[in-house]
Structure formats: structure tokens, C-alpha cells
Amino acid sequence: MIKRPLPTIGVDKYTFFKLMSDAESGVQYGEAYNLKGTVEITPTDAGGADVFDADNGAYETTSYIEKLGHDITNADIPPEVDAMWRGLTQKNGVVEVGNDTKTVYFGVAWRILKSDGSYRYVRYYKGSYSFASNVGGKTKPSNGSIDRQTAKATYTALQRDFDNNYYAYFDESDLPEGISRESFEENWFTDMNYYPEVQ
């Protein structure tokens, strides 16, 4: 039976994990870091079909997905997160950006609130961040409503060497019997390799 589609109405619990090692024999992640202030997450995935012509017509069609990843809009990107994502080291709290930035890979997970109060859970296994400087500002208005600014970053996903997967997602309504939302979330947001199993 196909479930009735539901609109999504919110997103939170954006959590990332530094990818420590990724090989055919296994994969390891660092500790979870929860980034507060998520405003919006927009997938950057695009796809299409490629037609190979032979015998005076369409002979074979292959479909593909490209530009996997997502754009995140956040209330702000704190300096410590900026440093982590760029592969920099803070010096007494100061982030200095030069030509020595490194490509650092992370796994990431979050949840999406659906209109019935249930959640969809998403995780990308491996990717890197790119973003413009977050040091811009705008003069505070002398009267009237404050125009709040946000920070943005792009996460570009790669296939994990361990299993060639890009990402996974899961609806709360598909939880195996005996597993609560609380128990599931405790594992989903601390272990990038967790799968819910029947108790």
C-alpha cells in the first residue's frame, strides 16, 4: 500500500561528522557536531537521461544523477564551524583564512518535519563544504523591523569508497516495531552507519 504523500513544513537537527577514514574495508567518523539555527536545506541534485543512437534511432537510454548535495541556509556559521569546514585551526579563537585551506570531508544528517508531525531523516555519507565569507553585514535600521541576514554554504556529495553510496533517507512511519522515535534519533544522530533493525 502506497502511503499518502505529505508536505514538509520544517527542518532541524543538522548534524555533521568529520570523515576520519574511508576505504573498502570500512569507514570511520569523528564525533557528532550539531549546528544550530538551520533555516533551509535545498538539494542541488540534478539528473537527466542520455540517449545513445544506433540503427537509425534510439538504441539505449541511460539515466544519471549529478551535482549531488545540498545548499544550507543558516542563521550564522560560527567561527569554529567555519574553521572545521575549511580545514583551518583557530588561534586563540581567531580564524585566519589564507591559501592554506584544505578539503575536509564530512558526513551529515538532519530531519525534516512533515505535516502530520512525523519526520523524514536524511544523511549524506561523504562530502565537502564551500561557502562565501560570512563576515558581511548591514546597518541596523533606526526604526521598523530588523532585516535579518543569514549565512549560506554548499555541501557537495561524493560516493563513499566503502560502499559507493551517496546518501540515504528514512521515514519515521517505516520504523520497525519496538523502536521508538527517541531511540532511533539517538542512534541516527550519533552513528553514520546506524540502521534500524527489528528488536
Side-chain angles (χ1 to χ4, degrees), residues 8 10-15 108-114 117-125 167-175 179-189 194 196:
T8 57
V11 61
D12 68 349
K13 294 185 81 73
Y14 191 87
T15 305
V108 64
W110 67 86
R111 68 180 185 178
I112 304 166
L113 179 62
K114 300 173 85 173
S118 68
Y119 287 96
R120 171 168 291 164
Y121 299 89
V122 182
R123 67 182 175 202
Y124 280 75
Y125 293 111
Y167 70 93
Y169 67 94
F170 181 85
D171 278 353
E172 179 186 348
S173 58
D174 293 323
L175 273 174
I179 300 180
S180 66
R181 174 196 290 178
E182 293 75 17
S183 172
F184 171 80
E185 287 190 356
E186 183 178 346
N187 289 288
W188 187 265
F189 293 108
Y194 168 72

Side-chain angles (χ1 to χ4, degrees), residues 11-78:
V11 61
D12 68 349
K13 294 185 81 73
Y14 191 87
T15 305
F16 61 89
F17 310 73
K18 185 175 181 180
L19 181 61
M20 308 304 287
S21 64
D22 177 24
E24 291 182 8
S25 57
V27 61
Q28 286 187 323
Y29 294 91
E31 292 185 15
Y33 186 106
N34 179 239
L35 178 63
K36 305 288 187 186
T38 305
V39 176
E40 182 179 14
I41 295 174
T42 307
T44 57
D45 304 8
D50 187 31
V51 178
F52 172 71
D53 292 318
D55 293 335
N56 281 332
Y59 187 79
E60 184 178 275
T61 303
T62 55
S63 60
Y64 59 88
I65 303 174
E66 61 183 3
K67 298 180 181 176
L68 271 84
H70 58 273
D71 290 331
I72 175 173
T73 302
N74 217 65
D76 185 29
I77 306 291

